[in-house]
Amino acid sequence: MLVKRFFDPGLAQTSYLIGCGATGQALVIDPNRDIAQYLRAARSEEVSITHVTETHIHADFVSGSRELAAHTGAQLLLSDEGDEPWKYAFAREAGARLLQDGDHFMVGHVQIQAVHTPGHTPEHLMFLVTDTAGATQPIAAVTGDFVFVGDVGRPDLLEKAAGVRGTMHDAARSLFRSLQRFKTQPDYLQIWPGHGAGSSCGKGLSPIPHSTVGYERLFNWAFAVADEEEFVHLVLAGQPEPPTYFADMKRINRDGPSFLGGIQPPRRLAADQLPGLLARSSLVIDLRPAADFAAGHVPGTINIPLNGSFSTWAGWLVPYTADFYLLCDEHTQNLEQAAWALALIGLDRTAGYLGTDAIEAWSAAGRPLETVPQTSTGALAGNTGATPLVIDVRGGNEWEAGHIPRARHLPLGALAGRLGELSRDQPIVVHCQGGGRAAIGASLLQAHGFTQVASLTGGFAAWEAEGRPVERDAVPVPEGETAR
Amino acid sequence: MLVKRFFDPGLAQTSYLIGCGATGQALVIDPNRDIAQYLRAARSEEVSITHVTETHIHADFVSGSRELAAHTGAQLLLSDEGDEPWKYAFAREAGARLLQDGDHFMVGHVQIQAVHTPGHTPEHLMFLVTDTAGATQPIAAVTGDFVFVGDVGRPDLLEKAAGVRGTMHDAARSLFRSLQRFKTQPDYLQIWPGHGAGSSCGKGLSPIPHSTVGYERLFNWAFAVADEEEFVHLVLAGQPEPPTYFADMKRINRDGPSFLGGIQPPRRLAADQLPGLLARSSLVIDLRPAADFAAGHVPGTINIPLNGSFSTWAGWLVPYTADFYLLCDEHTQNLEQAAWALALIGLDRTAGYLGTDAIEAWSAAGRPLETVPQTSTGALAGNTGATPLVIDVRGGNEWEAGHIPRARHLPLGALAGRLGELSRDQPIVVHCQGGGRAAIGASLLQAHGFTQVASLTGGFAAWEAEGRPVERDAVPVPEGETAR
Amino acid sequence: MLVKRFFDPGLAQTSYLIGCGATGQALVIDPNRDIAQYLRAARSEEVSITHVTETHIHADFVSGSRELAAHTGAQLLLSDEGDEPWKYAFAREAGARLLQDGDHFMVGHVQIQAVHTPGHTPEHLMFLVTDTAGATQPIAAVTGDFVFVGDVGRPDLLEKAAGVRGTMHDAARSLFRSLQRFKTQPDYLQIWPGHGAGSSCGKGLSPIPHSTVGYERLFNWAFAVADEEEFVHLVLAGQPEPPTYFADMKRINRDGPSFLGGIQPPRRLAADQLPGLLARSSLVIDLRPAADFAAGHVPGTINIPLNGSFSTWAGWLVPYTADFYLLCDEHTQNLEQAAWALALIGLDRTAGYLGTDAIEAWSAAGRPLETVPQTSTGALAGNTGATPLVIDVRGGNEWEAGHIPRARHLPLGALAGRLGELSRDQPIVVHCQGGGRAAIGASLLQAHGFTQVASLTGGFAAWEAEGRPVERDAVPVPEGETAR
Amino acid sequence: MLVKRFFDPGLAQTSYLIGCGATGQALVIDPNRDIAQYLRAARSEEVSITHVTETHIHADFVSGSRELAAHTGAQLLLSDEGDEPWKYAFAREAGARLLQDGDHFMVGHVQIQAVHTPGHTPEHLMFLVTDTAGATQPIAAVTGDFVFVGDVGRPDLLEKAAGVRGTMHDAARSLFRSLQRFKTQPDYLQIWPGHGAGSSCGKGLSPIPHSTVGYERLFNWAFAVADEEEFVHLVLAGQPEPPTYFADMKRINRDGPSFLGGIQPPRRLAADQLPGLLARSSLVIDLRPAADFAAGHVPGTINIPLNGSFSTWAGWLVPYTADFYLLCDEHTQNLEQAAWALALIGLDRTAGYLGTDAIEAWSAAGRPLETVPQTSTGALAGNTGATPLVIDVRGGNEWEAGHIPRARHLPLGALAGRLGELSRDQPIVVHCQGGGRAAIGASLLQAHGFTQVASLTGGFAAWEAEGRPVERDAVPVPEGETAR
C-alpha cells in the first residue's frame, strides 16, 4: 500500500492518494480542482487512478472529484447519507456509486470502508483504510472534516454559511454521537484529516499533519467532553465567521462542480485601461502588500494582499457573478499563484490584470493617488473625544476575548454589507489584530467613498502589548445563541 | 523597442514578440498554441499584448493567433491577399483587421508594414519592423516562411499537402518574383525567419537563428539564381515529402483553429486495459526509444519514439478522427512533452496512456512480446537471393542521391497507405539513413500483420560507409515533374 | 509543532524537519547531503534550523548533518553511545553536543528525548517527540533504522559491510532487547522511520510512510517473536547482500563527511574522447536503459541504467578512488538526477560525461559495437549439454527460494571480485529475476573480456511462470551461519 | 553553426555559445559565474564546450571564463593586447592561449578571428565569426563592450572606476580609431554585443538584442561623428557614475577570478538574532520594496529593494571585505535570485538572512520601528525657508538636465562617502527621479543617525510633471573635464 499526501497551504486542505503497488490501482480522496497534481503523482508512483471519492460536500473549495473521475475514467464514489436538500444532486448524472455507512470497496488489495460520521455535514463519511496484503485491521481513518488533529469539524456551517436555519445545534449533537462512536476505535489507528491549521472549518486545528486515536483521546479537547450539552455548547462557541463564499461552494459541490480543464495565465491590460475599468465600476483588486498599498494606490481599488490568507479574503469579498481585475507587482508577485488560488475556490472570472505601470500612469496623468494614513496607538489613546470612530474588523471570538473600549465591532467579512451603518463625515480608524485585515477593511471603506480612513499601527496586538485599557465581554457565548 | 524570440525545437518554429517599452504595447507574430509562453513573456517584459498577427496560413502547426487575440483582447491582423479558397475564412467572425500589401500599423512607437510575398502560400505576408523612436528605416523583416537563413520557403505545399493540383509551378514563379522584390532591400536589413533547421517547410534551412539581406545575397542559393525557369526547377527539386497532417493544418488554420485553453496531463490506464484496447483496434503508440521497442513490444502497437522528430512522425501517422493511446517509460520519458507536441499540431485525442507495466503484464499473462530483429549489412550484402525484400523508407531526395541496388523505395510517410503492395509471405528488411525511421516503419509493418520484418543495423549510412555498392538515379528530377 | 518529511526515492531514505512555529526554531533529523532542501523548507515554513541530529552512523548515504549544522550555525547533536571504534570521531572537532540515553533538549516548545536503541548499530538513538505546547506525552518516535513499518533494521551490517567480524549475533540480541523496551511504549505513539520500501537496511520494509506502536505490535513480524534465539535466527535470515560501498559510508560518516557545497552539472566530453578514455582503462558507465545497451554499446563500457536502483548499483560497482565517466542519452535522461544520486553516496569523482554521439562516432569510425544477445528460456531449457554456463546474479534469499537447476550463484555485487572463477572460453547466460541485474552483470563480464555472454529473456520470473523445473535449497539458513 | 544567446537581466549582460553541430565543438564567449547555464545549453544542443574566451577584462561582473574552462577542460583564450598593468595576470597559470589582433582559431567548422578594438579597455577584442561550412565571410561580430546597439562602450572606466588617472581621453581616441576601422566592415555584418539597455558600461544602449553594421552606420550616434575631438567630447559627456564595485571587479578579473562551484541557499537566522547583529554593526540589507521599508523597518538596516537594479546598488553599497545579512519577505521574495545576483558580482559573504518575523519580534519586544515619512511636492514647494535640505541623489547627467532649484546634488553612489558634509540637526528631503534611489538614500542616512529624513513623493518626475520651477546647468560638460 502506498500513500501520498497533498497539502494546499492557501486552503490548509489535504487530499490523499492511496494506492496498491501490486495491482497498480489507486484512490484519490478529497481532490481539489488542481487535478494535474494527482495525475502527476499517479505517474510517478506508477499507478492508475481507478477510484475517486470525497468525505463530504465541501464548503471551502470547489471539489475536483467529478473532473478527476471523468478525466481518468475512475469510478466516482459519493455519500448517500444525509437528507434532502443536502445530498449530492449530480451523483446519478456522473454515474457515481453511492456509499452508505458500512459499505466498502477494494482498491487493489486495499480495503476502504465508509463510516457515516454526521456533524460537520449531514452526509459526512470517513474512510477506514486496511492494507489487506499485510494486515487484517485498518491502519488509518481518513477523517475529512470530522476529526482534526486537536479539534473537530465545526457543525455550524450549514446554518451560518448555507443559511439552513436551526440546524447547528442538531448538527452538534450528531457530531457528539459520531465522536462517541469513533472513540471505540483502537488507540493505534492513525487519523489522516482533511485540514490543518489555518482552515476555517474548525477553530483550533494543529499544524501537525497526522495523529492517532489514542493521542487525540488524551489531548483533543473534544474527546474529553463526556456530556452532550456541554459538548454542544463548547463546539459552537468561538467559531470564526464563515466566509460568504462557503454558501456558493456548498451549492456548487452539491449540484456538480464544473470542469476547469487547466488554466491560462491572465491577460495583461495596458496601463491606460485602468481609468475606464474604474469608471465602469469594475472590481480591481490590488494584490500588493498592505504597506505598498497604504503608501499609494489608485482610488477605487481594493487591497487583498497575495499572502497566505488570500484565498480566504478573496472568497469573502469577490463576487461570483461579475468579472474582476487584478493589479500586482509583476517583479515580485506570482500571478500564477493568484490565478490558482482563485480557481480553487471557483472564482473563474479574472478578466485581466494590470502591472504597477497602471499606478504610475494614473499618477503621471495628474490624477492623485490615495494613501492609507497610520494612526499610532498613542495618538488614539490620547484622543478622548468622540472622534474618530474606531472599527475593529476582527472575528467574534477575538472581539470577545478583549477589545479597545470604545471600538465598534464590524467583522471584516461583514463590513461590505454594513457600510450603510457608517457616516462618511467622520474620521475612522480601522484595526484588526496585527494589520492584515485592517488593510483590506480600510481599502474597502476608501473604495466606497469614505475619505477619512486611517489604520492603527500595530493593531490590537500593539495596543494590548503596551498595556492600554482593554474591555472584555462578560461571558463569551456561542454565536447565534442568546446568552444563557 | 524590445524583441523576444520563441523557438519550439520539435517544430523548429519561431514566433516573435515585438514591443514598445515606452507605451507598453506589444505584437506577437506567428504564435503557436502554447499561448501561455507569450503571456508570461509579456508579464516579464511588462508589456500588454495589443496586436497579434501571422505571416500566413501555416501548414505545420495549429495557429495560436485566434486564441491569443481572444484571450488578450488584442487586435488580430490577418492577410487579405491571395485568392479563394485559400483566404482566411474566420477573419470576419474573429473581428480581424485585414492586411494588404503596403498596409502598416503602429505598436506603440514601432511601425509594422505588411509586404505581400506570395510563393510559399498565396496570401503570405512579411513584416518590416521600424523602431520609429530611434530610426527612420526598418531594422528587420519578419519573413515567416518566405525567406529562411540559407533557403526559401517551399512553394509546393498547396499542391502536395493540400491537394490543389497544378499550383506548384505558378507558386514557384510567384516566389521568384517575391524574391526579386525582396532583393531590393538594403544589405543591413535583418531577416527574422519563421523556421530553422529541422522544419519541413523548406529543404536546406540553417540552424543560425537570424541573418541579413546582404549575407543571404552572398550565401543563400536562392538569391543567386537570376533565371526564373532555373529557379523554378531548383526550388522544386529535392523537397522532402510533406507530412500528411499538413493538409489538416492548413484547413484548420484557414477556417479557424479551436481554442486549447490549457492542457491536462493524460490519464494513466491500468496495465490490464491494454489487451482490450488492442482488441478494439485502438491505436497505441509506444513512445520508447527504438532499441527498447525492438527488444520487446506488445504486438499491435506502433513505435514513434519521443525524440526531436516526434511531432513530424506523429503528424504523419496519427489520425485526427479517432482516439489514440500512448505507452511510455514513466521513469525516463516526459509525458508532458509528448502531450504538448501533440497539442501543437492539433492531435487532441490522447485518450490515456500506459506505463511499461502494461508490457510486463502482457508478458506475465503468457502472451508473447514481439521483437524487431536486426539484419547486419554484411548478411544483407551476402544474401544474393530474391529475398528478403529491402524497403528503403527514406525521402525522395535521399533515395535519388544513392540507394541499395535492389531496394524498393517506400517513403515512411507513404508506407501506411501502400501496404497493399507488399506480400506478407516474404522476409522484409526495412532501412532508412540511420535507423530512426526504419524503426517506425518496421513497427507499422508488424502492427499490420507482417511477421518477417527486420531492420538493417546502421541503415544506409553504415552500408555506404562500408563501401558497399550504391545505385544512383541518372538525373534527379523535381517530384511531380517528368524528367526533361 | 510543525513536521515536514523528506523522502529520497533512490535511497528510500527519510529525513524530518520538526519545528516550533511559535519560537521559529527547528530541528533536522537524518539530513542527507542535499542540504538545500532543508534550507528551502525552513524558508517556506519560516523557521530557522537551530538543531541538527541523526539517529546513527549511516551506512547507505553520506550524512549531511555536519554540513547542515556548519551552514546554519545550528547545534549539532550526536550519539555518545556505543563503543570504540564505532563512535563519532569528528564530534569534538565539529563542536557537537553528545547525547546519551535519556538526554533531552528543547526545540522551541518541542521536547526531543534521546533513547538508546542499539541493534542496527551500537550507537543508534531514537528520538521521542513531545509537543509541550499541547501535550504532555510524546506524539511520535523518530526511529531511524531501529524500527521500520513492517520490519526492523538489520543488525548484520557492521559485520558484513564494515567487516567487524563476529558482531552480528550480538547485535541481533541487542536489537531484541531494544525492541522489548520499545514495546512498552503506548499503542498510539506514532513511528516515523528512517527508510521505506527499497532500502537495503532491512529486508521487508513497507512503502507506508508512518505507523504506530499498536499497529506494528499487531502486524510487524519482529514484534511477534518473544524468544530471543528465534528472533536472532529470523532477523539474520534472508538479509540482502549489503552493497560494498556501505563500508566506505560508515567510515566516512564516523570520521566526518566532507562538505558538498552545491554541485555543478558535469562537463560534456567530445565524442572522440571516448576511445582515449577506454585505452586508459577509465571506467565509463553507460546510463541508458538495458535494452538500449543490449542493442549496441561500446565495448569496455558497463551498464548501470539510470532507474530507481541506480544508487544501489553505483554504490556496489563504482570505486571511490578513481575518476569515472558517464554516458547517457541527453534527450531522455536526466543527468542532474544521476549527478545527485552519485553525490548522495559520496561518489564525487564524475570526471565528465558523453552523449550518444560518442557511440555513433565509435561506430562511424569503423569500430564495431557490441551487443548483448538474448537467450530464450525455451532454448536454454532445451539445451541439455554442459554449456552454456548459467549464472544467477540474484541475492542469496532469492536463490534459496528457488533457482534454475544447473545454474551457478554469483550475486551481482560479488561478481566483479570473482571473475577469476570463470572461464572465458565458455558461453555464459546471465540471469536475475526480471532482467535488470542481469543486464549489469552481462555488461561487467563483457567489459572484462568475456565475449560469449547472453542474457536470459524474462529472467527467472519467466522461467518459473512457464512451469520449468526449479531447484530449492533444503533449508534456507541465515548467511554467515552454518545450518543447524 | 549554432548560436545561443544568454542574457542576464540584472546585469543586462550577454554571453554567447557558438557551436559546430557537425563536429560537436563549441565556444562560449563572455561567460559569467553561473556556468551551469552554459553546461546545460551544451547538453541540450549536444555539443561539448571546447573553447572559452572573453572580449575583455570585465568591470561589471565576475568572469566565469576561468572556472568554465577548468570545469570543461576547454581551451581558454585571452587577449594579449594592451599594456601593463591592465593585462591578464592569470593567463599563464590557467594555461590560456593568448590572442593578438588577427589571430584566429577554429571551433569545428566555425572560424573565430580576434580583432583588437581598444577603447572601452586597452586589451579589448572583438570576434569575427565565420561559418566556413556555408560561407566565406563572417556572419557576425561579437563586439563585447566595443559597439552596442545604439551606442559604444564608455572609455572612462579605467580612469573613473579603476582609478588610473589621465587615461580616459586617450582611451576615447583609441575608441574612435577602433570605430573607424570597424566602419570598413560590410553593411550586412551582424553585431552581437555584450550588453543591452540597463548596463552601466555605456549611456544609451538599446534593448534591441542585435543589429548590423549598416543599421548602426545609419542610426548609432557614434558612427556619425567624423571628427575625433568631437567624438572624444561626446563620448565622455553624460556617462553615468560607475559603481564603486567596478574597481574590484576589474582587479579580480585581471588577477584571476575564484571558482564559485555552485551556491547553497543562505541560512535563515532566528528573529532574535537581529539585535545582536546590529549591536555588532553588521550590515543588514532589507530587500523589501521601498514602500514596505518606508512603512516600518528596524533602525540601522538599509534598504536595497530586490528589483531589477539590485545588482547595481548592491555593487555600490556592499563591501567585499565583511560579512553581511539579508532581510526579506520570504513569502513574496525570491531569495535564490538575490543570492545569485550577489554571487555574479562577487559578493560572496552573505552570512545569513532574516525573515519579516525579525521585524515583528523587534517591535513585539517594545523597540520602535522607524518609518520614512513622505513629503509632498506641494509641501516642499510651499516651504520657502532654509529648511529642509533637499538632496538629489540622481546621476550627473540627470542633474544637469534639470533639478529642483535649491537642491543639493549628492549622487547615491557617493552618498555613503560624503555623509560628513551633512548636518544631523537639519530636516532632509531626499529625492531621485521616481523614488527608487531616494529610498536607498534615505535608508542610508537613517542608518547613519540622521533622524529627520523624508522622501519626496513622486520624485523629480512628479515635480517636473506638475510644472514646478526647474533649474538647469548652463552648459552640460563631460565629467572630469573643465568647461571649454
Side-chain angles (χ1 to χ4, degrees), chain A residues 248-272:
Chain A
D248 289 284
M249 284 302 93
K250 278 203 80 71
R251 186 181 41 71
I252 287 170
N253 286 331
R254 179 193 62 188
D255 297 346
S258 65
F259 292 0
L260 189 60
I263 59 173
Q264 291 283 15
R267 65 172 171 151
R268 191 183 192 277
L269 301 183
D272 59 13

Side-chain angles (χ1 to χ4, degrees), chain C residues 27 29 53-55 77-81 97-106 111-117 123-130 142 181 185:
Chain C
L27 160 73
I29 302 178
T53 192
E54 60 188 33
T55 52
L77 303 108
L78 296 173
S79 174
D80 194 30
E81 297 287 349
R97 172 177 163 191
L98 293 174
L99 292 175
Q100 295 182 324
D101 185 58
D103 286 350
H104 52 80
F105 58 96
M106 300 299 292
Q111 190 201 62
I112 307 292
Q113 184 187 343
V115 181
H116 186 211
T117 52
E123 80 291 348
H124 197 290
L125 300 177
M126 77 170 184
F127 299 105
L128 290 171
V129 180
T130 305
V142 178
R181 189 178 168 204
Q185 294 288 348

